[in-house]
C-alpha cells in the first residue's frame, strides 16, 4: 500500500515538474517571438525613414547620384527580402550604403547644418541603435532558449512539446561593440 | 548563462516591507515615549501623594495602554504611508521641478529617442522622459506601484554629455527601474525625505528678512520652533531610512548599463563629468539624493569604505565606481582625465553667417532664358526654382542653385516654415523659425534679431554647442567693463528704446521694455511684461550666452 502511495507521489511530482518545464520553455519561446517582432518593427521604421533622407540630401548633393541610388536600391532589396538569411544580408548591405552616404555628407557643411537632415540623422541613429538593442535582446533570448532545449532533462520535454532551436540574427557590422565582461 | 533583463531578481517587496515596518516602529516608539511622559506628568500633577513623599518613580505603560499606542501608531503610520504613496510620481516630480519634453526641441527629441532605445533593450519596458531645467548635472529615475516609470535628466547634463554618454546614463537609470530597486527607493524617499525638502524651504523663507520674527511676535516664533522640531525629526528619520537604501544598487545599475550599451567607457566619462561639475546641491531636490545617479551634495560619507558608511550613505565612492568601469574598458583614470580636459577646450564650430545676403544679387535661368537680377528677398518669390536650376551670382560663375551657399538657404527655409503672423518689431516683416542650440526660436532675417520665450532662453543659455566669433567676445568684454556696446548697425538700440511693440502679443499697444537680462549679466534686452517673451537684437543672445558660459568655466577651474 505504501509503495503505491510512494509511486503515486512520484508520478504527481514528475507531472508537476513536466508542467513547470513546459511552461518555462513556452515563456522562452514567447520572449524570442517578442524579440523578433521588435527587430521587425525597427527595420520597417528604418525603411520608412530612408526615402525622406534621400529627398533631403538630393537638394544638396544631387550630383552624387551613385551614392543616392545605391541607398534607394539597397532599401528596395531590404524591403523585398523574406526569410532570416536574406534579411540579414539585405540589411547589412543597406547599412553599408547608408554609411557611405553619411561619409559623403560630411563634405557638405550646408547639408550637415540642415535642420531636416539633422533630424533625420538623429532618427536614423536612434533606429540603428534600436535595431542593435533589439537584436541584442533577441539573441540573448534565443541563446537561453537553445541552451534550455539542448540541456538534458529539458530536451525530453522540448522534443515532446515540439520546441525547435531558434536562429540568431546577426548583422555584420564593423562598428559592432564587443560584450565587455561585467564584474561586480 | 547570458544575462538579460528578464533575469534580474526583483527584490522590491522585501525592502518595501522593511520600510513599512520601520515606519510603524518609529510611530510606536515615539507614541510610547510621549504616553509615558504624559502619564507621569499627569500623575505627578494630579495626585499629591508622590509629591508629599518626595519619592519619584517612573511608571511605564501596562499592556492595554501599549496595545492602544500600537493601534494609534498603526493608524498614523498607515495614513503617512497612504499619503506618501498616493500620486507618487507627480508629487516627486513637483518637488524636483521637472518639465515634460518639448517635441520641437532637438535635444529633447534626442533624449526621447535614447529612452526609447534603452526601452527596446529591456524588452519593451515603457519609460517616460522628463527634464529639470537647471544648469546642474544629474539624472534620476522614479517608479510607482502601478508600473509607471519616469527617467529624468537635467538640462545641464543633456547639453554637456555626448550621445553615447547620455545613453549610458539612461541605461543606468533604466537598470534601476527594471530591477525594481527604483520603486523601493522612490517610496522610501517619498516617505522620509520629501517633506524634509519642503520644510527646509519653508524655514528658510521664515528666516528671511520680511518675515522676520521680531516683527511678527510670539505666535510666529512658536510656529518656527514647531517647524524646526518637525524638521529635525524628519532629518533623523531620513538619515535612518538610508539604511534601507543599499549602496550596492548603484554598482549593479552601472553593471547592467554596461551590459546594455556595451560601452563602459562612456558611463565612466559621464560619471566623471557629473562628479566634477555642479550636481544640483541647493536645489529643492537635493534632499531626495537617493534617486540620483550621483549624490547632488558632495558627502564625505559617500567617499568612504567602512561599515558606518555602508549603512548610512546612499551612494558608493565615485572613485570605486570609476575603477570598476575603467577596468572593464581597459583604460585608467589618467587618460580619462586627459580626455575630459581635451573635450572641455575643444574648439566649437560656429554656424557660417550669410551676412551679406541682403546686398547680393543673382541671375536665374528659367526655360533657357536668364532673368534678374534678383536680391535674396526677391529670389524667395521666384517660382519654379529647384536645386538644379542654374543661377549666377553677380560677379560670380554659373552654378547649380544647391551649390550656391546662400541660394541654398531658400530650400531650407521652405522646410522649416515661418513663425506665422509674428512680425519683427524693428523691420515689420514676418519672422522665420530657426533652430538655435536645438531650440526653435523666431528670427528676423533682415536685422538678425531673435524672439524667444523664457523657458526657451533658459535652455539656450545652458547649451554649449555654439562657438562664438571674436566680435561677440569683444562685445562681452565691453559689457564686463561696464560699457554699453552698440549693435553694429549704428545706434538703433538706443533710439528705439521702449517704443517697439511686442511681437508676440495680439494687442499692438503693448510695448517692449528695455532692461538688463539680469544684474549679473547686464546685457540689454527688450522684454514684454505681458507675455514674458524677450526680444534680443542681433548678437545680444550670443553675448549673453558667452558671458554665462565663461562664468561656468571659471567656476569649474
Amino acid at each position: 500500500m505504501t509503495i503505491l502511495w510512494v509511486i503515486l507521489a512520484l508520478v504527481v511530482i514528475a507531472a508537476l515538474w513536466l508542467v513547470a518545464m513546459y511552461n518555462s520553455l513556452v515563456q522562452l519561446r514567447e520572449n524570442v517571438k517578442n524579440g523578433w517582432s521588435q527587430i521587425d518593427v525597427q527595420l520597417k521604421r528604418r525603411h520608412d525613414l530612408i526615402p525622406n533622407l534621400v529627398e533631403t540630401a538630393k537638394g544638396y548633393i544631387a550630383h552624387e547620384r551613385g551614392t543616392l541610388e545605391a541607398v534607394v536600391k539597397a532599401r528596395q532589396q531590404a524591403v523585398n527580402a523574406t526569410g532570416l538569411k536574406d534579411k540579414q544580408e539585405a540589411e547589412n548591405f543597406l547599412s553599408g550604403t547608408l554609411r557611405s552616404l553619411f561619409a559623403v555628407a560630411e563634405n557638405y557643411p550646408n547639408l550637415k547644418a540642415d535642420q531636416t537632415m539633422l533630424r533625420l540623422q538623429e532618427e536614423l541613429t536612434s533606429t540603428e541603435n534600436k535595431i542593435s538593442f533589439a537584436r541584442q535582446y533577441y539573441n540573448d533570448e534565443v541563446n537561453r532558449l537553445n541552451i534550455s532545449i539542448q540541456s538534458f532533462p529539458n530536451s525530453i520535454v522540448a522534443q515532446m512539446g515540439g520546441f525547435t532551436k531558434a536562429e540568431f540574427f546577426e548583422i555584420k557590422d564593423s562598428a559592432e561593440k564587443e560584450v565587455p565582461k561585467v564584474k561586480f | 548563462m547570458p544575462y538579460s533583463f528578464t533575469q534580474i531578481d526583483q527584490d522590491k517587496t522585501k525592502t518595501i516591507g522593511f520600510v513599512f515596518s520601520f515606519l510603524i516602529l518609529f510611530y510606536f516608539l515615539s507614541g510610547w515615549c510621549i504616553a509615558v511622559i504624559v502619564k507621569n506628568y499627569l500623575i505627578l500633577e494630579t495626585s499629591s501623594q508622590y509629591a508629599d513623599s518626595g519619592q519619584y518613580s517612573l511608571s511605564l505603560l501596562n499592556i492595554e495602554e501599549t496595545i492602544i499606542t500600537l493601534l494609534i501608531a498603526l493608524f498614523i503610520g498607515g495614513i503617512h504611508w497612504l499619503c506618501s504613496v498616493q500620486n507618487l510620481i507627480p508629487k516627486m516630480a513637483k518637488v524636483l521641478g521637472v518639465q515634460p519634453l518639448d517635441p520641437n526641441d532637438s535635444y529633447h527629441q534626442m533624449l526621447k529617442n535614447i529612452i526609447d532605445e534603452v526601452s527596446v533593450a529591456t524588452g519593451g519596458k515603457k519609460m517616460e522622459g522628463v527634464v529639470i531645467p537647471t544648469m546642474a548635472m544629474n539624472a534620476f529615475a522614479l517608479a510607482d506601484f502601478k508600473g509607471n516609470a519616469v527617467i529624468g535628466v537635467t538640462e545641464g547634463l543633456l547639453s554637456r554629455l555626448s550621445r553615447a554618454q547620455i545613453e549610458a546614463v539612461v541605461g543606468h537609470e533604466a537598470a534601476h527601474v527594471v530591477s525594481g530597486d527604483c520603486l523601493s527607493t522612490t517610496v522610501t524617499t517619498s516617505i522620509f525625505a520629501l517633506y524634509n525638502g519642503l520644510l527646509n524651504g519653508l524655514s528658510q523663507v521664515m528666516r528671511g528678512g520680511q518675515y522676520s520674527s521680531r516683527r511678527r511676535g510670539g505666535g510666529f516664533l512658536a510656529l518656527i520652533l514647531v517647524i524646526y522640531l518637525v524638521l529635525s525629526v524628519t532629518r533623523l528619520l531620513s538619515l535612518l531610512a538610508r539604511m534601507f537604501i543599499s549602496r550596492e544598487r548603484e554598482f549593479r545599475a552601472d553593471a547592467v548599463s554596461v551590459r546594455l550599451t556595451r560601452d563602459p567607457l562612456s558611463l565612466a566619462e559621464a560619471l566623471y563629468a557629473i562628479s566634477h561639475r555642479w550636481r544640483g546641491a541647493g536645489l529643492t531636490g537635493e534632499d531626495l539624493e537617493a534617486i540620483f545617479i550621483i549624490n547632488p551634495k558632495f558627502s564625505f560619507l559617500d567617499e568612504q569604505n567602512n561599515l558606518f558608511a555602508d549603512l548610512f550613505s546612499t551612494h558608493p565612492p565615485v572613485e570605486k565606481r570609476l575603477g570598476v568601469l575603467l577596468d572593464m574598458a581597459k583604460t585608467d583614470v589618467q587618460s580619462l582625465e586627459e580626455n575630459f580636459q581635451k573635450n572641455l577646450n575643444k574648439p566649437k564650430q560656429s554656424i557660417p553667417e550669410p551676412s551679406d545676403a541682403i546686398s547680393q544679387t543673382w541671375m536665374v535661368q528659367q526655360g533657357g532664358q536668364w532673368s534678374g537680377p534678383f536680391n535674396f528677398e526677391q529670389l524667395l518669390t521666384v517660382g519654379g526654382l529647384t536645386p538644379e536650376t542654374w543661377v549666377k551670382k553677380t560677379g560670380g560663375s554659373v552654378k547649380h542653385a544647391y551649390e550656391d551657399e546662400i541660394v541654398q538657404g531658400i530650400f531650407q527655409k521652405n522646410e522649416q516654415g515661418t513663425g506665422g503672423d509674428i512680425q519683427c518689431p524693428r523691420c515689420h516683416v514676418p519672422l522665420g523659425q530657426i533652430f538655435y542650440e536645438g531650440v526653435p526660436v523666431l528670427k528676423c532675417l533682415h536685422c538678425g534679431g531673435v524672439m524667444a520665450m523664457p523657458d526657451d532662453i533658459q535652455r539656450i543659455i545652458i547649451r554649449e554647442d555654439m562657438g562664438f566669433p571674436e566680435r561677440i567676445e569683444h562685445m562681452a568684454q565691453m559689457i564686463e567693463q561696464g560699457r554699453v556696446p552698440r549693435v553694429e548697425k549704428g545706434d538703433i538700440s538706443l533710439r528705439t528704446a521702449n517704443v517697439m511693440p511686442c511681437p508676440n502679443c495680439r494687442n499692438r499697444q503693448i510695448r517692449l521694455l528695455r532692461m538688463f537680462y539680469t544684474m549679473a549679466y547686464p546685457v540689454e534686452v527688450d522684454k514684454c511684461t505681458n507675455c514674458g517673451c524677450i526680444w534680443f537684437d542681433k548678437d545680444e543672445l550670443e553675448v549673453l550666452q558667452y558671458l554665462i558660459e565663461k562664468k561656468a568655466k571659471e567656476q569649474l577651474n
Side-chain angles (χ1 to χ4, degrees):
Chain A
M1 193 61 194
T2 19
I3 293 172
L4 210 68
W5 278 118
V6 168
I7 290 171
L8 196 70
L10 280 179
V11 167
V12 168
I13 287 169
L16 283 177
W17 176 79
L18 275 178
V19 168
M21 214 42 92
Y22 183 82
N23 283 348
S24 76
L25 281 172
V26 169
Q27 177 66 50
L28 280 174
R29 194 170 57 184
E30 282 309 305
N31 284 353
V32 169
K33 252 191 217 164
N34 170 28
W36 176 251
S37 68
Q38 286 220 45
I39 294 182
D40 225 28
V41 167
Q42 298 309 333
L43 289 179
K44 281 215 179 69
R45 169 105 185 102
R46 179 157 82 155
H47 298 159
D48 293 346
L49 282 171
I50 287 171
N52 276 330
L53 180 81
V54 171
E55 270 314 303
T56 312
K58 240 184 207 165
Y60 296 90
I61 52 170
H63 56 292
E64 304 257 6
R65 258 179 230 286
T67 323
L68 290 172
E69 273 165 17
V71 174
V72 174
K73 219 164 130 193
R75 175 192 174 264
Q76 202 50 46
Q77 268 174 16
V79 170
N80 293 338
T82 48
L84 205 98
K85 276 264 148 24
D86 277 359
K87 261 193 184 160
Q88 274 176 30
E89 268 170 34
E91 294 298 337
N92 283 340
F93 188 61
L94 180 57
S95 301
T97 55
L98 276 176
R99 248 202 300 283
S100 58
L101 175 62
F102 286 131
V104 167
E106 279 297 306
N107 301 326
Y108 296 83
N110 283 312
L111 175 57
K112 261 168 59 186
D114 183 287
Q115 278 305 324
T116 321
M117 186 68 182
L118 282 176
R119 213 166 40 233
L120 281 168
Q121 214 161 352
E122 162 63 29
E123 284 301 312
L124 261 178
T125 314
S126 175
T127 312
E128 300 257 347
N129 285 349
K130 278 177 197 159
I131 292 172
S132 101
F133 284 149
R135 199 162 51 81
Q136 195 175 303
Y137 177 81
Y138 172 77
N139 285 344
D140 276 3
E141 295 301 316
V142 166
N143 198 10
R144 286 179 65 201
L145 177 69
N146 289 356
I147 289 176
S148 187
I149 284 178
Q150 288 172 79
S151 46
F152 167 60
N154 296 23
S155 55
I156 306 166
V157 186
Q159 241 168 17
M160 287 193 299
F163 289 91
T164 47
K165 271 169 56 170
E167 271 180 279
F168 287 106
F169 188 74
E170 282 167 274
I171 289 183
K172 283 187 192 62
D173 197 333
S174 55
E176 179 89 54
K177 291 169 193 156
E178 61 172 311
V179 189
K181 276 210 162 68
V182 171
K183 283 180 284 188
F184 284 88
Chain B
M1 194 108 176
Y3 182 86
S4 86
F5 272 116
T6 38
Q7 279 171 291
I8 297 174
D9 291 337
Q10 303 231 334
D11 60 348
K12 54 189 171 191
T13 33
K14 208 167 65 188
T15 316
I16 288 174
F18 272 130
V19 169
F20 185 69
S21 323
F22 175 75
L23 192 68
I24 301 298
L25 187 71
F26 167 76
Y27 277 113
F28 174 64
L29 283 181
S30 44
W32 194 82
C33 288
I34 290 169
V36 167
I37 291 167
V38 168
K39 193 175 172 190
N40 285 297
Y41 180 70
L42 286 180
I43 287 167
L44 278 174
E45 283 290 300
T46 49
S47 58
S48 51
Q49 63 200 60
Y50 284 102
D52 293 341
S53 65
Q55 265 185 330
Y56 182 78
S57 74
L58 193 72
S59 74
L60 300 175
L61 302 190
N62 58 31
I63 290 179
E64 277 167 35
E65 285 161 337
T66 308
I67 288 174
I68 290 171
T69 318
L70 183 65
L71 285 177
I72 292 172
L74 268 173
F75 182 70
I76 297 176
I79 287 178
H80 186 163
W81 173 268
L82 283 179
C83 287
S84 293
V85 300
Q86 201 113 59
N87 287 329
L88 197 55
I89 290 180
K91 209 162 47 184
M92 296 281 272
K94 203 168 176 193
V95 172
L96 291 165
V98 308
Q99 285 179 354
L101 296 183
D102 175 359
N104 289 322
D105 185 316
S106 59
Y107 278 75
H108 289 188
Q109 191 56 43
M110 180 179 75
L111 178 64
K112 188 177 177 299
N113 282 342
I114 289 177
I115 292 175
D116 286 349
E117 285 160 30
V118 173
S119 153
V120 167
T122 62
K125 168 86 191 164
K126 286 271 163 288
M127 289 169 285
E128 201 198 326
V130 293
V131 289
I132 308 181
T134 153
M135 241 171 162
M137 287 176 82
N138 228 320
F140 66 89
L142 298 172
D144 69 7
F145 284 101
K146 288 176 206 136
N148 301 322
V150 167
I151 288 182
V153 302
T154 60
E155 288 281 358
L157 183 131
L158 202 54
S159 67
R160 292 199 194 107
L161 295 188
S162 70
R163 198 180 199 285
Q165 289 164 351
I166 298 174
E167 184 113 43
V169 169
V170 171
H172 172 102
E173 298 305 339
H176 280 312
V177 171
V178 179
S179 66
D181 65 34
C182 180
L183 177 64
S184 53
T185 314
T186 311
V187 170
T188 314
T189 322
S190 164
I191 288 176
F192 297 117
L194 192 56
Y195 303 104
N196 210 355
L198 293 178
L199 286 170
N200 224 348
L202 198 62
S203 76
Q204 261 164 24
V205 168
M206 300 267 175
R207 263 185 297 172
Q210 57 177 345
Y211 290 105
S212 140
S213 52
R214 250 173 280 158
R215 264 198 270 160
R216 294 291 179 101
F220 200 69
L221 199 70
L223 187 61
I224 292 181
L225 271 178
V226 168
I227 286 177
Y228 272 115
L229 199 70
V230 177
L231 199 62
S232 43
V233 170
T234 53
R235 269 276 156 74
L236 186 74
L237 263 181
S238 68
L239 197 72
L240 288 175
R242 288 180 189 168
M243 284 193 296
F244 298 109
I245 298 169
S246 152
R247 299 171 100 182
E248 299 302 312
R249 80 198 191 292
E250 294 296 335
F251 282 128
R252 214 162 32 153
D254 284 347
V256 174
S257 172
V258 168
R259 261 289 170 193
L260 186 65
T261 57
R262 313 268 150 110
D263 196 358
L265 188 60
S266 289
L267 184 57
E269 283 168 352
L271 289 182
Y272 185 85
I274 296 171
S275 63
H276 278 73
R277 293 265 196 167
W278 175 43
R279 313 174 220 164
L283 297 179
T284 38
E286 70 163 17
D287 284 307
L288 314 178
E289 57 179 55
I291 62 169
F292 289 102
I293 184 167
I294 282 189
N295 196 338
K297 293 174 280 191
F298 178 83
S299 103
F300 282 110
L301 202 58
D302 276 349
E303 308 304 322
Q304 282 166 9
N305 259 326
N306 49 38
L307 181 68
F308 185 73
D310 275 345
L311 273 179
F312 290 106
S313 86
T314 49
H315 291 72
V318 177
E319 213 175 302
K320 210 169 154 193
R321 285 169 80 179
L322 280 179
V324 174
L325 290 168
L326 291 174
D327 216 33
M328 287 189 227
K330 300 188 183 69
T331 175
D332 53 58
V333 179
Q334 208 172 357
S335 55
L336 183 80
E337 270 168 2
E338 278 166 20
N339 264 334
F340 179 73
Q341 289 300 334
K342 218 185 334 181
N343 278 333
L344 210 60
N345 300 319
K346 200 172 57 181
K348 281 177 250 176
Q349 225 179 358
S350 13
I351 291 174
E353 291 184 71
S355 51
D356 43 8
I358 298 162
S359 58
Q360 285 180 3
T361 53
W362 288 266
M363 301 289 286
V364 179
Q365 192 191 42
Q366 276 178 316
Q369 291 284 319
W370 284 98
S371 55
F374 302 112
N375 66 20
F376 188 73
E377 292 295 311
Q378 288 164 333
L379 270 184
L380 290 174
T381 59
V382 173
L385 204 65
T386 69
E388 291 184 64
T389 311
W390 293 103
V391 297
K392 182 179 181 301
K393 185 153 73 176
T394 316
S397 55
V398 177
K399 283 178 179 173
H400 279 299
Y402 64 78
E403 285 169 320
D404 190 297
E405 279 186 11
I406 299 166
V407 180
Q408 211 174 58
I410 294 173
F411 308 114
Q412 296 170 40
K413 220 162 288 152
N414 289 344
E415 294 277 346
Q416 287 162 18
T418 59
D421 57 348
I422 296 184
Q423 287 190 344
C424 172
R426 284 196 188 288
C427 320
H428 304 285
V429 296
L431 297 174
Q433 195 188 47
I434 62 149
F435 282 82
Y436 186 78
E437 301 270 19
V439 182
V441 293
L442 297 175
K443 183 172 183 169
C444 174
L445 296 166
H446 268 284
C447 67
V450 168
M451 189 202 91
M453 300 308 287
D455 278 356
D456 298 337
I457 296 165
Q458 214 171 13
R459 277 186 228 145
I460 288 171
I461 59 179
I462 290 171
R463 296 182 182 166
E464 298 172 345
D465 269 0
M466 291 279 295
F468 303 104
E470 268 179 39
R471 176 167 47 93
I472 302 292
E473 283 177 38
H474 180 67
M475 288 169 82
Q477 271 167 14
M478 286 179 76
I479 286 177
E480 278 176 326
Q481 289 159 9
R483 288 188 281 164
V484 181
R486 298 280 165 82
V487 180
E488 265 184 359
K489 279 168 125 187
D491 57 352
I492 46 171
S493 56
L494 291 180
R495 199 153 28 100
T496 52
N498 291 347
V499 295
M500 283 196 286
C502 173
N504 195 35
C505 292
R506 286 257 164 117
N507 186 346
R508 292 285 156 201
Q509 299 303 314
I510 295 173
R511 301 283 152 174
L512 293 173
L513 201 64
R514 174 139 304 206
M515 55 172 72
F516 288 138
Y517 181 72
T518 58
M519 289 322 280
Y521 304 108
V523 178
E524 277 190 15
V525 296
D526 298 277
K527 188 172 181 176
C528 173
T529 45
N530 185 38
C531 68
C533 80
I534 296 185
W535 174 259
F536 294 91
D537 281 322
K538 184 173 188 277
D539 295 339
E540 281 174 353
L541 183 57
E542 283 91 341
V543 169
L544 175 66
Q545 231 191 333
Y546 179 83
L547 286 173
I548 290 175
E549 265 174 43
K550 198 173 157 204
K551 189 162 261 181
K553 220 173 211 173
E554 275 166 14
Q555 278 165 357
L556 189 68
N557 296 325

